[in-house]
Amino acid sequence: MSRLQEPKPKGWISKTFLTSIFLGIGGFLYGYDSGIITPSLALGTFVKYFDYPAPPLRGAIVSMYQAGAWLGSASVGITSDRLGRRKAIAFGCIWGVIGGALMAAAAHVAMLIVGRLLVGYAVGTITGVAPVFGAEIAKTNERAKLTAVNQMMVAWGFFIALWTGVGESKWQNPNQWRLGFAIQSIPALILGVGVLFLGESPRWLCLKGRNEEAEQAFRNYHADGTAETDEWCKAEFATIQTSIQEELRAQHSLTWGDLLKTPHFRKRLFVGSFVWAAAMLSGISFVQYYQTAIYATLQFGEEQQLLVSGLYGSVAPVACLLSLFFVDKINRKTILVTSSGLLCLSYTIITIIAAVFPAVPGQPTNAAAQRGLIACIFAVSANYSALLGPMTWIIPPEVFTTELRAKANAVVQVIHYSISLVITQCSPIALAAVGWKYYILFILTNGLCTLIFAFAYPETRGKSLEQIDEIFGDVIPSASVIAESSSVEKGDGAITKVEHRGYSKSE
């Protein structure tokens, strides 16, 4: 028996879409917290207050945020599974409020670094849970759009942060840099309180055996009072419930070690984690955090650096908004291969321009070359924001089974922030030591990612979270079970047949 066809969406403004926008405040926090340090490093009052930090210390100020995010990501598998999706997000937001306050009140560099660590912990926790939550409440035909909202909100957060930096530069006050840090606490507070008023993930409730609550939560997200939708909700929830029960029966209680024990789980982990690894190896973190340093090599003054960085931040929100119109219509592999290929080309052009037309202090600069290099940097942002960036939020949550999802996504985010930590710590040192030659690294990494996406990635567009199981050869609900799923008890009802990895067994 085939699954009932999903009701056609009635426009964009659905309850799940509005929920994903609200959850996207976590993405906004990620973008803002990442972005606000960029103009701060260019403000004379900031660097003077902290005694003109050397490149290694500048790298530590930036990368401590990634260290905190690493810790937050590592804890997600525990907090999300035990507390639930909503409370895990609220828990992370508490640290975001505290970290933002510490940074705004920083009396010395140690206090600033601790604040960065706590804000990073908050972001690591939130970004490890929010995309999972969004994917678990979404219909198949809107899942990519809902999870891609996170990237759009990241872009808006970065946009607001960079233009806050521009505004700070106009405020002639020795404490001008504190304003942007204080603002960090606001979205964390709004999300932390508001998320507790949302319905819990139906799939997480099923995983905990709270089936009646799960069905009510599922209907609250999707039912609209029509007979067609009501019938679909019943059938779809029965399929979800059956699939999760089959996972639990066939896999029992999965541990962290189970992620690596079978080829199927290893493939899922590779697919989910490599897309984030590719994102960090794309060079986007380097460009975002140290673009003002790049502009300084072009002999730009403080005001020019901040203005260009503000214009850079304006590119991503537009690109992300455009991606929402096609992200569910184009194959995932096509987007990934295209993005990495174009990023490789962009960095090739950047490297050539920087090598052939270097900006030497005291000598005339080539204005056309400067404009060309800045255009390529803007192209990197547009490409990442419209193509590769949204895929980092879409692919990981959809390739893991319900019981694996929280633990596996925690591993994915740990890998993400580990690479970002290395890039952000080493970039200022490398840029000072080898200059334009550092860009060659990103030509090579993007070229490699293009090949891996082309030859090693499966296609998941248009498939439900349960149907994606078939791609990886894990638990597959048999037709007879789905046909009989309406008779499954809402408690610990018995399932008469389980199909697992190609064979059936009676119970």
Side-chain angles (χ1 to χ4, degrees), residues 165-295:
V166 174
E168 286 175 331
S169 70
K170 305 296 183 182
W171 180 32
Q172 301 303 316
N173 188 293
N175 292 310
Q176 58 187 176
W177 53 273
R178 297 184 187 272
L179 174 63
F181 292 155
I183 292 173
Q184 292 176 112
S185 298
I186 298 174
L189 181 62
I190 293 172
L191 178 61
V193 174
V195 74
L196 297 176
F197 293 91
L198 299 178
E200 184 55 88
S201 162
R203 286 180 168 86
W204 180 81
L205 291 170
C206 278
L207 191 63
K208 297 301 178 181
R210 296 159 59 179
N211 295 316
E212 291 186 7
E213 293 177 63
E215 184 171 12
Q216 185 58 51
F218 187 83
R219 294 184 63 81
N220 286 342
Y221 277 116
H222 298 295
D224 61 4
T226 64
E228 178 190 13
T229 303
D230 187 64
E231 183 181 2
W232 176 82
C233 283
K234 289 179 181 178
E236 187 67 14
F237 179 75
T239 301
I240 292 170
Q241 183 181 356
T242 301
S243 178
I244 291 173
Q245 288 186 1
E246 287 189 356
E247 290 174 21
L248 293 174
R249 289 171 183 268
Q251 302 167 355
H252 305 292
S253 180
L254 290 172
T255 64
W256 291 93
D258 290 324
L259 291 171
L260 300 174
K261 285 182 179 179
T262 69
H264 307 293
F265 290 172
R266 287 198 296 270
K267 185 175 181 181
R268 287 178 185 271
L269 193 60
F270 166 74
V271 171
S273 59
F274 184 78
V275 67
W276 264 116
M280 294 302 97
L281 293 172
S282 72
I284 193 66
S285 294
F286 164 63
V287 170
Q288 287 178 341
Y289 289 124
Y290 299 112
Q291 57 177 297
T292 53
I294 297 173
Y295 304 146

Side-chain angles (χ1 to χ4, degrees), residues 41 82 191 211 241 351 356 361:
L41 291 171
R82 292 186 181 179
L191 178 61
N211 295 316
Q241 183 181 356
T351 303
V356 176

Side-chain angles (χ1 to χ4, degrees), residues 33-55 57-63 102-116 165 168-169 171-182 184 289-290 292 302 305-306:
D33 293 347
S34 299
I36 194 60
I37 199 67
T38 302
S40 298
L41 291 171
L43 287 172
T45 54
F46 176 85
V47 295
K48 181 180 179 181
Y49 186 87
F50 292 107
D51 198 23
Y52 302 96
L57 182 56
R58 290 166 70 95
I61 292 171
V62 175
S63 63
L102 283 176
M103 289 181 67
H108 44 71
V109 73
M111 192 172 174
L112 176 70
I113 288 176
V114 171
R116 287 281 288 173
E168 286 175 331
S169 70
W171 180 32
Q172 301 303 316
N173 188 293
N175 292 310
Q176 58 187 176
W177 53 273
R178 297 184 187 272
L179 174 63
F181 292 155
Q184 292 176 112
Y289 289 124
Y290 299 112
T292 53
E302 176 184 313
Q305 293 175 33
L306 291 170

Side-chain angles (χ1 to χ4, degrees), residues 28 160 238 251 304 329 342 349 359-360 381 383:
F28 179 92
I160 297 297
Q251 302 167 355
Q304 283 180 298
K329 299 177 182 179
L342 290 176
I349 297 173
V360 180
S381 174
N383 177 344

